Amino acid sequence: MTNRRLPGVDGIWVVIGLDAVVFLLLFASFQNERRAAPALFEVSRRTLNKDLGGADTLILLTSSWLVALAIQAVRRDRTDRLPQFLFAAACTGTLFVASKTVEYIEKLASGTTPATNTFYSWYFLLTGVHLVHVLAGICALGYVWKRARIGSYTSERYLVLECVALFWHLVDLLWIVLFPLLYLQR
């Protein structure tokens, strides 16, 4: 019988669990507000750039895939490829930040702010909190990339890398819920 374990350390699962609960409460509150003013939410939703939101989804999925490749490489002791995967994952995360910045600038330039209406209050809150998570994830990816470059990880020792990967997958998962909730839901 093999000795199986959960990836990462217990603490990262507590962080992920708490974060997931906070986002679930935010999603439920958004839905509640949406039920109170469906016409306003629908009119406002149509002003969002679905193409950019879809591109953001592909960017984050690609980034998560690169992180998964990094974990696979370290498990197979292919640590020579580890920095490349982590750097590419951080770059795609940065691309997401750039895309989201463009979207915010478009909204603000057209006079749309969080004070415009309830939908936009939620839009800026949910995407803003998610963006903070993306920025934290990019910093964490940068840290493990730097450590990978000096050979800090092996197939026997990669717990920190695994914790960063778990957090990054959470960031990806949150966007996978946010995108249809804000951009597609009618």
Side-chain angles (χ1 to χ4, degrees), residues 50-124:
K50 283 192 297 189
D51 294 336
L52 204 51
D56 289 344
T57 304
L58 291 176
I59 289 167
L60 280 185
L61 286 173
T62 301
S63 190
S64 270
W65 175 66
L66 290 165
V67 168
L69 289 176
I71 293 295
Q72 186 181 50
V74 76
R75 284 181 178 161
R76 294 178 179 172
D77 262 332
R78 298 286 318 268
T79 54
D80 57 319
R81 305 186 71 193
L82 193 54
Q84 298 162 353
F85 290 134
L86 294 172
F87 183 75
C91 286
T92 50
T94 303
L95 189 60
F96 177 88
V97 173
S99 173
K100 191 52 60 196
T101 302
V102 166
E103 193 173 1
Y104 284 165
I105 289 171
E106 283 178 2
K107 286 288 161 233
L108 296 173
S110 70
T112 303
T113 69
T116 299
N117 65 37
T118 308
F119 175 84
Y120 288 112
S121 296
W122 279 104
Y123 165 78
F124 282 104

